[in-house]
Each structure stands twice: as C-alpha cells, then as structure tokens.
Amino acid sequence: MSRNAARPGHGPAVTDRVAARRLAAPARRFLLGRKRTMFGLMALSAAESVQTFLGGYGVARALDDGFLRADTVTGLLWLVLAAGVILLGAPVTRGVFALLADLTEPLRDALVRRAVMHALRKATAPGGSVDGTAVSRLTSQTEIARDSFAGLVLTARSFVFVAAGAVVGLLSLAPQFLLIVLPPLLLGVALFVMSLLPMARAQHRYLDADEAIGRHAQGVRTALRDIVACGTQDAAAARGRLDVGEAAAAARSMARWAAVRTLAVAVAGQLPVLLLLVCTPWLLGQGVSAGALAGALTYLLQALLPALHSLMTVLGAAGARLLVVLGRLTEPYPDTAVAPPAPGSGPGPLTGRAAVELRGVRLSFGARSRPVLDGLDLSVAEGEHLAVVGPSGIGKSTLLQVVAGTLAPSEGAVRLAGQPLVPAPPTDLTGLRTLLPQDAYVFTGTLRDNLCYLRPQAPRAAVEETVRALELEPLVARVGGLDATLAPRTLSQGERQLIALGRAHLSPAPVLLLDEATSHLDPSTEAVAERALAARPGTLVVVAHRLSSALRADRVLALDGTDARCGTHEELLVRSALYRDLVGHWHGTGR
C-alpha cells in the first residue's frame, strides 16, 4: 500500500474519474450562472473567426485576381482588407481579456473559501488536526487552478472559432486541401488525446508527493524535540528522502509524457504543411490556383496550426493540472473523526482491544532492497510485557518505530491502542505511545520538568511515586532535588536513561516502547526499572539485550530476518533455534 495514495486501494486514474464526476454539476452551475459573460466571449470569438477567414481568402484573391493578372490595385486592396481585419483583432483581444476576469476571479475566490473551510473543519472537528496541506491549497493550488482555467478558456475559445474560419476558408478555396490536411491533423490529435490520461495521472502523483513533502516538513518542524528524544532522526530523514524521490519520479514521468505531447504537436502541426508542399504538383494538376495554395498555407501557418499548438500545449499541461487540483480542492469536507485518547491524569485501559496489532507488515528502504520486516503478524494484549530479541541489525528498532508511527510500512496494517496508524506528525500520537531510544534525551531544565515532559500537569504525588518505583532517590539527591536545574553534560549515560525511564513511567500513553533504553544500566537497576514499568497500567514492549530482560517478559518475539516466532521463554527454547543460540550466547558472555 503506497503511502502517497490518495485513498487506500484507489489509484490516480480512479481518483481523477471520481473527481471529474464530482466536478461536472458544479462546473455547469458555475458557467450557467455567467451566461452574459459566456455570450460575450462567443460574440468576440465569432469576430475572430471572420478575421481568420478573410486573412487566408484575402491572400488568395490578391494573387489570383490581382498580382498574377497584373492588376496591382486589386491585389493591394485585398491585402489591405486582410491586414485591416488583422489590426481590428486588437480590440477583440482586449475585450476577451476583460470578460475573462469575470470567470477566473470568482473561481479563485470560491476555491479559497472552500480551502479555508476545509482546513477549519478538519482542525476543529473532534479528534481533528491541523491540515498540513492547507498552505499549498491556499497558495500554489488555487493559483494553478486560476491560471489553468484562464489558459483553457482562452485557447479552447480561440481554437474552436479559428478552426471554423480556417476550415470554411479551405473549403471555399479548394476541397482537395482537406484531403491533405485532415489525416495528419486527426492523427496528431488522437495521439495527443491518448496522452492526456497518463499525463493527468503523473500530475496527480506529483501533487500527492508535493503535499506529502509539506506534511512531512510540518511534522518534523512541530515534533523536532520528540524526534531527537526518540532517536528517530535517521527515520525522519529517510522518510523525507522517499517523499522527495517520489516527487522526482513523478516529475520524470511528466517529462516523458510531455515528450509524447511534443510529438503529437509536430504530427498535427508541421506534417500538414510538409504534405501540402509535397502535393503541390498534384494540386496544380487538379486545377488549384497558385493563389489558393498561398491562401491554404496562410490558413495553416497563420491560423489553424498556431491555434492547435496552443490548444495542445495548454490542454496537455493546464488541463491535467486543473482536473487534479480542482479534484483536490473540492474534496468533501472532513467527517467528524474519532478523537484519540487525550493525556489525562494517567494511563487508562484499552477497553479490551489489543494494545498493538500488526497484520502483514512489510517494510523495505527501497524498491529493490531486501525487506527488513516481511509479512509480520503480531498481537500484543493490553497490559502484556513483550521482549523483542534477535541479532544486531535484524530489524528490532525498525519494528518499534513502525509501532510508534515514526516509520510507515510499505504494506500491511498497524493498529495502536485500537486505532489504525496513518502517516501523522509524532505529536499526534503522544497520547498513544512513548518510545525511548538507547540514547536518552535530557534537556536543560529542572529534573521535575524532564520527568514531566510527557505529562506537564502530573501531580506531585505521581512524580514522587515514579521516584520511588524506579529508585531514583540517589539521583535526586546528587543533582540537588527535583527542582534543581540539570546540566545534561554532567550526567552519565546511565543517569540520562534513568531520567528518560522516569519520564516514560509518568507518561499517559498506554503503550511503552523501549529500544534498548536500559543498555547503560547495571543488571540490578535494569531489573528495577523494567519491573516498575511492567507494573504500570499499560503495555510494555522492550528490545532486550540481556537474558534476564527476556525472562521477565510475558512473551518473547524472536526476529531472524526470514521468520518471526513469538512465545514464552520455555516455548521458544523448543521452537526457535535462533532463540536457543541467543540464550547460549547470553550465558556464555555472563550477561
């Protein structure tokens, strides 16, 4: 399941079709509500069609009835007529742009209002969150919609009426011209139409990636301290690289389809001119005059082909962007969400649901890289103490980061405290889990502030209970009391880990994840800490680095890279050769 998919199980093509159906009725209402503007544009465009017709026809008559018959005056009169009609096009263009604002500005205003309402409803709904895409929607996406719509209106209007004038002119000069011009024209148009849907898919993919980059940047900025505290800088950077790589791949796909569009423009725009020149002897043999040939070339080079080139260019780029952006900006407003458990006076029960549940989880750091986790199924009950063991680099820390929500799996589903995890800033999950890495994070401040970091309003009695449960009295005395200011550089690694463990003990999160967070403690202190955390209401998952840590757990999960076995210590001694080897290693090293 791709993290960048608009919805699970729905690709960009399906999403674009849904968006097109959703946009049809509002688009009709928008245009019908501006009939006067539409009729004004059609009237001005009809004048442009007359201008196109007289341009080519005037050249043909100037040659056939004037210069080729040595009648210079007649030839000049026809040229003056054609030139005068062209000069009259300036007021037409000015009028078109004046009317165009009556279409584009109301569209932009409506989209801005909807984007604001979407962001407000998402933020104020129960369980809602700040919309990380709001800035992109309000700025770049609304401007893309406005500019793309304006370009489409201008080019579509121009092409329809210019093409009508050019076709009528070609027919009036010689019907044979259509036999030469239409086949390559239709072939190029067909090739262009075939590229529209893939171009829209690539554009949709690019916007997905652009929004993912924005969400990731906002999440990292908001949760920078948590990311450092949890030791997930590498994971955050890796996720950012994946998002940027996806955007780059989408941009390359857009470039490939832009090349196809260029080929279509060449076939439809340049090939008719070449064929007309090649077929000139045949046309002359059919009785077509030299003036008619000159007029036909004028229609192609000065009117039809430039209009076609503009239409294909704008429709291929702006049309795909407009469909995708309007589909995103007009998404239904967010439904009322189920709020995650808010931090309260302490951790609460999980109402009988599994605290941690993984189904078919697969994760790899690249399309061709070997999966770190492959089809992993795991269920950890409320209040259970699970130890995770395995060789170094086998994926133990990765597993905890997936459970914590700081890494998104490539495939599969993860539920934490009964709720499905979706890509979200780490701060959105602080009420559900606490992750402690091996390198504990301690900031300059009082010892009490450090202990209460995840529960700022913790009562004094709860803090004192944490100190007793973890036997922190010697540390409290050494630093000068709970309200003494800490200097992190003066603390040992073991003392830092004790403070982080106390922070986890006070945390309101019902799931605690310890990634070798006791590695700098001696065995007796480690035993005290793990027993205290296991006795705390909630679920405890520990990456074990000593046999004693695994023995204290209710169950043990053994990862070996190809298989995962879960059971009690006694069960795994029978069922898992890897676990037997690890136990022998621990015994052999005295740990």
Side-chain angles (χ1 to χ4, degrees), residues 49 52-58 60-61 162-175 177-178 292 295-296 299:
S49 183
T52 301
F53 172 79
L54 290 177
Y57 191 81
R61 297 278 68 82
V162 166
V167 168
V168 171
L170 288 172
L171 278 173
S172 67
L173 295 177
F177 288 137
L178 295 182
Y299 283 130

Side-chain angles (χ1 to χ4, degrees), residues 29-44 95-96 98-100 102-103:
R29 289 194 299 270
F30 179 82
L31 295 176
L32 290 176
R34 290 158 180 82
K35 291 181 180 178
R36 178 175 296 181
T37 301
M38 298 297 293
F39 284 132
L41 285 173
M42 292 175 64
L44 291 172
V96 167
L99 290 174
L100 185 64
D102 294 336
L103 292 178

Side-chain angles (χ1 to χ4, degrees), residues 478-538:
R478 193 186 79 75
V479 301
L482 285 171
D483 295 313
T485 299
L486 295 178
R489 65 180 180 277
T490 66
L491 299 173
S492 68
Q493 291 287 351
E495 289 173 330
R496 290 169 178 257
Q497 285 192 334
L498 281 175
I499 294 173
L501 291 167
R503 185 184 297 157
H505 189 272
L506 268 173
S507 166
V511 176
L512 296 185
L513 307 169
L514 274 58
D515 186 5
E516 297 197 12
T518 60
S519 59
H520 295 292
L521 303 180
D522 60 75
S524 60
T525 306
E526 178 187 61
V528 170
E530 284 192 3
R531 290 193 182 99
L533 293 174
R536 169 190 177 278

Side-chain angles (χ1 to χ4, degrees), residues 330-341:
T330 60
E331 287 177 348
Y333 290 122
D335 295 329
T336 300
V338 179

Side-chain angles (χ1 to χ4, degrees), residues 340-348 430-432 454-459 462 506-510:
S345 60
T430 50
L432 301 178
L454 298 176
R455 189 178 165 193
Q457 305 303 322
L506 268 173
S507 166

